[in-house]
PDB file of all heavy atoms in Angstrom:
ATOM      1  N   ARG A  24     -13.047  -2.569 -10.950  1.00  0.00           N
ATOM      2  CA  ARG A  24     -14.106  -1.745 -11.507  1.00  0.00           C
ATOM      3  C   ARG A  24     -15.146  -2.584 -12.286  1.00  0.00           C
ATOM      4  O   ARG A  24     -16.349  -2.372 -12.167  1.00  0.00           O
ATOM      5  CB  ARG A  24     -13.451  -0.714 -12.446  1.00  0.00           C
ATOM      6  CG  ARG A  24     -14.474   0.233 -13.122  1.00  0.00           C
ATOM      7  CD  ARG A  24     -13.741   1.293 -13.931  1.00  0.00           C
ATOM      8  NE  ARG A  24     -14.688   2.235 -14.494  1.00  0.00           N
ATOM      9  CZ  ARG A  24     -15.046   2.207 -15.798  1.00  0.00           C
ATOM     10  NH1 ARG A  24     -14.593   1.278 -16.574  1.00  0.00           N
ATOM     11  NH2 ARG A  24     -15.890   3.099 -16.279  1.00  0.00           N
ATOM     12  N   LEU A  29     -18.820  -0.474 -10.954  1.00  0.00           N
ATOM     13  CA  LEU A  29     -18.823   0.871 -10.337  1.00  0.00           C
ATOM     14  C   LEU A  29     -19.569   1.899 -11.223  1.00  0.00           C
ATOM     15  O   LEU A  29     -20.192   2.807 -10.692  1.00  0.00           O
ATOM     16  CB  LEU A  29     -17.395   1.347 -10.076  1.00  0.00           C
ATOM     17  CG  LEU A  29     -16.583   0.516  -9.055  1.00  0.00           C
ATOM     18  CD1 LEU A  29     -15.219   1.056  -8.894  1.00  0.00           C
ATOM     19  CD2 LEU A  29     -17.325   0.515  -7.696  1.00  0.00           C
ATOM     20  N   LYS A  30     -19.444   1.763 -12.549  1.00  0.00           N
ATOM     21  CA  LYS A  30     -20.049   2.746 -13.443  1.00  0.00           C
ATOM     22  C   LYS A  30     -21.561   2.765 -13.241  1.00  0.00           C
ATOM     23  O   LYS A  30     -22.200   3.834 -13.324  1.00  0.00           O
ATOM     24  CB  LYS A  30     -19.679   2.411 -14.866  1.00  0.00           C
ATOM     25  CG  LYS A  30     -20.149   3.463 -15.868  1.00  0.00           C
ATOM     26  CD  LYS A  30     -19.650   3.135 -17.259  1.00  0.00           C
ATOM     27  CE  LYS A  30     -20.085   4.207 -18.251  1.00  0.00           C
ATOM     28  NZ  LYS A  30     -19.614   3.897 -19.637  1.00  0.00           N
ATOM     29  N   ASN A  33     -22.248   3.363  -8.716  1.00  0.00           N
ATOM     30  CA  ASN A  33     -21.949   4.671  -8.105  1.00  0.00           C
ATOM     31  C   ASN A  33     -20.997   5.443  -8.989  1.00  0.00           C
ATOM     32  O   ASN A  33     -19.767   5.170  -9.010  1.00  0.00           O
ATOM     33  CB  ASN A  33     -21.351   4.473  -6.700  1.00  0.00           C
ATOM     34  CG  ASN A  33     -21.330   5.786  -5.903  1.00  0.00           C
ATOM     35  OD1 ASN A  33     -20.760   6.790  -6.350  1.00  0.00           O
ATOM     36  ND2 ASN A  33     -21.938   5.784  -4.747  1.00  0.00           N
ATOM     37  N   PRO A  34     -21.441   6.462  -9.741  1.00  0.00           N
ATOM     38  CA  PRO A  34     -20.556   7.204 -10.655  1.00  0.00           C
ATOM     39  C   PRO A  34     -19.439   7.933  -9.901  1.00  0.00           C
ATOM     40  O   PRO A  34     -18.371   8.127 -10.451  1.00  0.00           O
ATOM     41  CB  PRO A  34     -21.519   8.191 -11.337  1.00  0.00           C
ATOM     42  CG  PRO A  34     -22.865   7.570 -11.206  1.00  0.00           C
ATOM     43  CD  PRO A  34     -22.853   6.818  -9.909  1.00  0.00           C
ATOM     44  N   ILE A  35     -19.691   8.405  -8.644  1.00  0.00           N
ATOM     45  CA  ILE A  35     -18.680   9.107  -7.904  1.00  0.00           C
ATOM     46  C   ILE A  35     -17.474   8.209  -7.606  1.00  0.00           C
ATOM     47  O   ILE A  35     -16.296   8.544  -7.756  1.00  0.00           O
ATOM     48  CB  ILE A  35     -19.256   9.681  -6.590  1.00  0.00           C
ATOM     49  CG1 ILE A  35     -20.325  10.726  -6.926  1.00  0.00           C
ATOM     50  CG2 ILE A  35     -18.157  10.319  -5.719  1.00  0.00           C
ATOM     51  CD1 ILE A  35     -21.013  11.290  -5.708  1.00  0.00           C
ATOM     52  N   LEU A  36     -17.782   6.972  -7.104  1.00  0.00           N
ATOM     53  CA  LEU A  36     -16.696   6.003  -6.881  1.00  0.00           C
ATOM     54  C   LEU A  36     -15.982   5.660  -8.147  1.00  0.00           C
ATOM     55  O   LEU A  36     -14.764   5.405  -8.159  1.00  0.00           O
ATOM     56  CB  LEU A  36     -17.277   4.727  -6.237  1.00  0.00           C
ATOM     57  CG  LEU A  36     -17.853   4.889  -4.825  1.00  0.00           C
ATOM     58  CD1 LEU A  36     -18.499   3.594  -4.349  1.00  0.00           C
ATOM     59  CD2 LEU A  36     -16.768   5.296  -3.823  1.00  0.00           C
ATOM     60  N   ASP A  37     -16.680   5.682  -9.278  1.00  0.00           N
ATOM     61  CA  ASP A  37     -16.033   5.398 -10.546  1.00  0.00           C
ATOM     62  C   ASP A  37     -15.049   6.520 -10.932  1.00  0.00           C
ATOM     63  O   ASP A  37     -14.001   6.252 -11.503  1.00  0.00           O
ATOM     64  CB  ASP A  37     -17.111   5.259 -11.629  1.00  0.00           C
ATOM     65  CG  ASP A  37     -16.549   4.696 -12.910  1.00  0.00           C
ATOM     66  OD1 ASP A  37     -15.922   3.632 -12.873  1.00  0.00           O
ATOM     67  OD2 ASP A  37     -16.749   5.325 -13.971  1.00  0.00           O
ATOM     68  N   LYS A  38     -15.362   7.788 -10.544  1.00  0.00           N
ATOM     69  CA  LYS A  38     -14.432   8.861 -10.827  1.00  0.00           C
ATOM     70  C   LYS A  38     -13.192   8.747  -9.969  1.00  0.00           C
ATOM     71  O   LYS A  38     -12.058   9.064 -10.407  1.00  0.00           O
ATOM     72  CB  LYS A  38     -15.120  10.204 -10.592  1.00  0.00           C
ATOM     73  CG  LYS A  38     -16.237  10.480 -11.597  1.00  0.00           C
ATOM     74  CD  LYS A  38     -16.898  11.841 -11.330  1.00  0.00           C
ATOM     75  CE  LYS A  38     -18.004  12.121 -12.353  1.00  0.00           C
ATOM     76  NZ  LYS A  38     -18.695  13.396 -12.069  1.00  0.00           N
ATOM     77  N   ILE A  39     -13.341   8.328  -8.709  1.00  0.00           N
ATOM     78  CA  ILE A  39     -12.192   8.120  -7.825  1.00  0.00           C
ATOM     79  C   ILE A  39     -11.260   7.062  -8.422  1.00  0.00           C
ATOM     80  O   ILE A  39     -10.067   7.102  -8.282  1.00  0.00           O
ATOM     81  CB  ILE A  39     -12.650   7.743  -6.389  1.00  0.00           C
ATOM     82  CG1 ILE A  39     -13.481   8.872  -5.779  1.00  0.00           C
ATOM     83  CG2 ILE A  39     -11.480   7.408  -5.487  1.00  0.00           C
ATOM     84  CD1 ILE A  39     -14.066   8.554  -4.441  1.00  0.00           C
ATOM     85  N   PHE A  40     -11.894   6.055  -9.063  1.00  0.00           N
ATOM     86  CA  PHE A  40     -11.089   4.995  -9.725  1.00  0.00           C
ATOM     87  C   PHE A  40     -10.108   5.608 -10.740  1.00  0.00           C
ATOM     88  O   PHE A  40      -8.938   5.224 -10.790  1.00  0.00           O
ATOM     89  CB  PHE A  40     -12.046   4.023 -10.432  1.00  0.00           C
ATOM     90  CG  PHE A  40     -11.440   3.287 -11.560  1.00  0.00           C
ATOM     91  CD1 PHE A  40     -10.710   2.146 -11.335  1.00  0.00           C
ATOM     92  CD2 PHE A  40     -11.624   3.718 -12.864  1.00  0.00           C
ATOM     93  CE1 PHE A  40     -10.145   1.435 -12.407  1.00  0.00           C
ATOM     94  CE2 PHE A  40     -11.070   3.035 -13.904  1.00  0.00           C
ATOM     95  CZ  PHE A  40     -10.345   1.910 -13.701  1.00  0.00           C
ATOM     96  N   TYR A  41     -10.563   6.608 -11.512  1.00  0.00           N
ATOM     97  CA  TYR A  41      -9.658   7.213 -12.490  1.00  0.00           C
ATOM     98  C   TYR A  41      -8.525   7.987 -11.811  1.00  0.00           C
ATOM     99  O   TYR A  41      -7.412   8.029 -12.322  1.00  0.00           O
ATOM    100  CB  TYR A  41     -10.456   8.164 -13.394  1.00  0.00           C
ATOM    101  CG  TYR A  41     -11.336   7.417 -14.366  1.00  0.00           C
ATOM    102  CD1 TYR A  41     -12.729   7.392 -14.233  1.00  0.00           C
ATOM    103  CD2 TYR A  41     -10.788   6.747 -15.477  1.00  0.00           C
ATOM    104  CE1 TYR A  41     -13.549   6.713 -15.098  1.00  0.00           C
ATOM    105  CE2 TYR A  41     -11.603   6.082 -16.371  1.00  0.00           C
ATOM    106  CZ  TYR A  41     -12.961   6.066 -16.171  1.00  0.00           C
ATOM    107  OH  TYR A  41     -13.755   5.361 -17.063  1.00  0.00           O
ATOM    108  N   VAL A  42      -8.813   8.588 -10.638  1.00  0.00           N
ATOM    109  CA  VAL A  42      -7.762   9.288  -9.886  1.00  0.00           C
ATOM    110  C   VAL A  42      -6.676   8.331  -9.457  1.00  0.00           C
ATOM    111  O   VAL A  42      -5.463   8.557  -9.621  1.00  0.00           O
ATOM    112  CB  VAL A  42      -8.347  10.014  -8.678  1.00  0.00           C
ATOM    113  CG1 VAL A  42      -7.244  10.601  -7.805  1.00  0.00           C
ATOM    114  CG2 VAL A  42      -9.323  11.100  -9.123  1.00  0.00           C
ATOM    115  N   LEU A  43      -7.064   7.156  -8.917  1.00  0.00           N
ATOM    116  CA  LEU A  43      -6.074   6.162  -8.452  1.00  0.00           C
ATOM    117  C   LEU A  43      -5.303   5.574  -9.621  1.00  0.00           C
ATOM    118  O   LEU A  43      -4.093   5.328  -9.515  1.00  0.00           O
ATOM    119  CB  LEU A  43      -6.801   5.027  -7.720  1.00  0.00           C
ATOM    120  CG  LEU A  43      -7.491   5.461  -6.395  1.00  0.00           C
ATOM    121  CD1 LEU A  43      -8.288   4.314  -5.805  1.00  0.00           C
ATOM    122  CD2 LEU A  43      -6.448   5.970  -5.386  1.00  0.00           C
ATOM    123  N   VAL A  44      -5.970   5.364 -10.769  1.00  0.00           N
ATOM    124  CA  VAL A  44      -5.252   4.906 -11.949  1.00  0.00           C
ATOM    125  C   VAL A  44      -4.230   5.937 -12.415  1.00  0.00           C
ATOM    126  O   VAL A  44      -3.111   5.616 -12.794  1.00  0.00           O
ATOM    127  CB  VAL A  44      -6.238   4.581 -13.089  1.00  0.00           C
ATOM    128  CG1 VAL A  44      -5.495   4.342 -14.404  1.00  0.00           C
ATOM    129  CG2 VAL A  44      -7.086   3.348 -12.731  1.00  0.00           C
ATOM    130  N   GLY A  45      -4.636   7.258 -12.301  1.00  0.00           N
ATOM    131  CA  GLY A  45      -3.695   8.315 -12.648  1.00  0.00           C
ATOM    132  C   GLY A  45      -2.460   8.305 -11.780  1.00  0.00           C
ATOM    133  O   GLY A  45      -1.342   8.517 -12.251  1.00  0.00           O
ATOM    134  N   TYR A  76      -9.689   2.473  -0.441  1.00  0.00           N
ATOM    135  CA  TYR A  76     -10.762   2.768  -1.400  1.00  0.00           C
ATOM    136  C   TYR A  76     -11.611   1.534  -1.680  1.00  0.00           C
ATOM    137  O   TYR A  76     -12.844   1.588  -1.640  1.00  0.00           O
ATOM    138  CB  TYR A  76     -10.103   3.294  -2.665  1.00  0.00           C
ATOM    139  CG  TYR A  76     -11.011   3.300  -3.866  1.00  0.00           C
ATOM    140  CD1 TYR A  76     -12.044   4.211  -4.026  1.00  0.00           C
ATOM    141  CD2 TYR A  76     -10.874   2.367  -4.894  1.00  0.00           C
ATOM    142  CE1 TYR A  76     -12.872   4.243  -5.111  1.00  0.00           C
ATOM    143  CE2 TYR A  76     -11.699   2.378  -6.015  1.00  0.00           C
ATOM    144  CZ  TYR A  76     -12.679   3.320  -6.116  1.00  0.00           C
ATOM    145  OH  TYR A  76     -13.486   3.323  -7.207  1.00  0.00           O
TER     146      TYR A  76
END
Side-chain angles (χ1 to χ4, degrees):
R24 180 174 182 259
L29 295 180
K30 186 175 181 181
N33 193 303
I35 296 177
L36 293 175
D37 192 54
K38 292 180 180 178
I39 297 175
F40 156 83
Y41 287 107
V42 174
L43 295 175
V44 170
Y76 165 74

